Amino acid sequence: RRTSVAGSASRCVATLLGGKSRQLMSACPLFLLSPLHASGFLAAAPLARSPRCAAVVSAESHWMDFLKFGGATPPFDVLSKTQEYVAATASAASDRGEYLPAPETYYADDYVFRGSIVGPISRRDVAETQKSFNLLGAYPDIDRGIFGLTVDPQNPYRVFFFERWTATMTGSIKIGPLTLPPSNKRIETPIHVTSITWNPDGKVVYESISPPVDRFEGNTKGAGAVFGLLAGAGLQLPASVGDPALIAQQKLNTDVFRGALGKTWSGEAEVPAWWKSTSKGAEPNDR
């Protein structure tokens, strides 16, 4: 069976590489298969229903596999834990609109937040930036519209859910020396996806949000989450990965002016060692 699988993989590689395949395969005949043979994976791989090239499987681990904690089973119910956490963060604004962060007991010491154009950023920097912006004070009736919680089938420590924010801007937003007065506008943002990853100790170690799922939803011209709140205040900011102007603005604010307008990412010393990407803010992925 091993010979059959290896032969299938070799033929598949030959098809993909065309005329260059013989030279490459003769120089290193197991250049794709050796790690898989060593693990015994190929011997058990079903081929009957697989696509033509399914035998070529990468055995290289991804740096974010750290968040799978060696394949251990969580010692708690991750869905219930996430629902509890969501309830705590959803009520982060007091009756007077003051910013009240979720209890720090929820967060691991090596916590990281990453959005598509924000981060990596530490828990402390996230809290300080949110407080300085006064977003919850400006939108005291915010409803994150959370639904669809589900556990990642490839990582039992990770939970995904959708969010569709609605809120009315009745207070001011402060961004450094800039103050955006109340617009009294009711906003609805496009849906985005949030993920929460727990560690075996029941602490949030990683949190991420996606760009809008459907940018044509809502009334913020495609701006999601915090950018949707800013749009409701009349501030329509660029939010595209790889945008040169946005990258330059973020570097100027965070690295030169030390986050005078709110930090976009944390300093290297504050980002935990498990986070391997050197991409910051809106910079394209580096790996």
Side-chain angles (χ1 to χ4, degrees):
R1 185 181 175 89
R2 288 174 182 261
T3 302
S4 173
V5 174
S8 298
S10 298
R11 288 192 297 274
C12 180
V13 172
T15 300
L16 292 172
L17 299 179
K20 298 181 181 180
S21 62
R22 289 187 179 180
Q23 181 180 356
L24 182 58
M25 293 295 285
S26 61
C28 185
L30 295 180
F31 77 111
L32 284 176
L33 304 179
S34 295
L36 300 179
H37 275 296
S39 67
F41 178 84
L42 285 179
L47 296 179
R49 299 183 181 178
S50 301
R52 191 168 60 152
C53 295
V56 182
V57 181
S58 173
E60 182 181 356
S61 62
H62 193 281
W63 62 272
M64 291 194 76
D65 285 346
F66 165 82
L67 296 173
K68 296 179 180 179
F69 303 103
T73 300
F76 51 89
D77 186 326
V78 293
L79 275 179
S80 295
K81 194 83 171 173
T82 302
Q83 289 170 337
E84 175 189 307
Y85 172 70
V86 164
T89 56
S91 60
S94 71
D95 293 337
R96 292 177 296 175
E98 296 174 338
Y99 176 71
L100 298 174
E104 292 302 313
T105 53
Y106 279 108
Y107 301 100
D109 292 338
D110 53 351
Y111 168 95
V112 171
F113 174 86
R114 189 61 161 106
S116 59
I117 62 168
V118 175
I121 188 167
S122 69
R123 173 59 196 160
R124 185 183 69 177
D125 286 341
V126 168
E128 289 180 356
T129 299
Q130 288 177 333
K131 184 177 182 180
S132 65
F133 276 18
N134 189 43
L135 289 174
L136 294 176
Y139 290 93
D141 66 341
I142 187 169
D143 181 353
R144 290 166 59 191
I146 294 170
F147 67 97
L149 281 79
T150 186
V151 178
D152 182 349
Q154 295 187 8
N155 183 359
Y157 286 92
R158 191 175 196 181
V159 174
F160 291 93
F161 51 88
F162 297 96
E163 299 194 43
R164 180 190 282 119
W165 293 8
T166 55
T168 307
M169 187 188 181
T170 56
S172 299
I173 293 177
K174 300 176 183 178
I175 305 177
L178 177 66
T179 298
L180 303 175
S183 66
N184 294 309
K185 182 178 180 179
R186 179 74 174 172
I187 63 103
E188 179 180 311
T189 68
I191 290 176
H192 69 265
V193 178
T194 298
S195 82
I196 304 293
T197 305
W198 301 88
N199 67 16
D201 296 325
K203 307 287 187 180
V204 178
V205 65
Y206 179 55
E207 196 165 359
S208 71
I209 66 171
S210 75
V213 173
D214 183 349
R215 64 189 176 92
F216 296 100
E217 283 191 325
N219 62 355
T220 58
K221 297 183 179 179
V226 169
F227 290 91
L229 299 183
L230 294 176
L235 187 61
Q236 203 83 35
L237 297 176
S240 299
V241 174
D243 184 323
L246 176 58
I247 293 171
Q249 292 169 10
Q250 289 181 331
K251 288 184 176 181
L252 182 66
N253 172 57
T254 302
D255 293 339
V256 178
F257 295 117
R258 300 184 181 278
L261 302 179
K263 286 188 176 181
T264 308
W265 54 77
S266 294
E268 292 184 10
E270 298 179 28
V271 177
W274 70 263
W275 184 265
K276 302 300 183 184
S277 174
T278 58
S279 172
K280 298 177 181 178
E283 290 179 338
N285 287 26
D286 60 333
R287 56 175 69 204

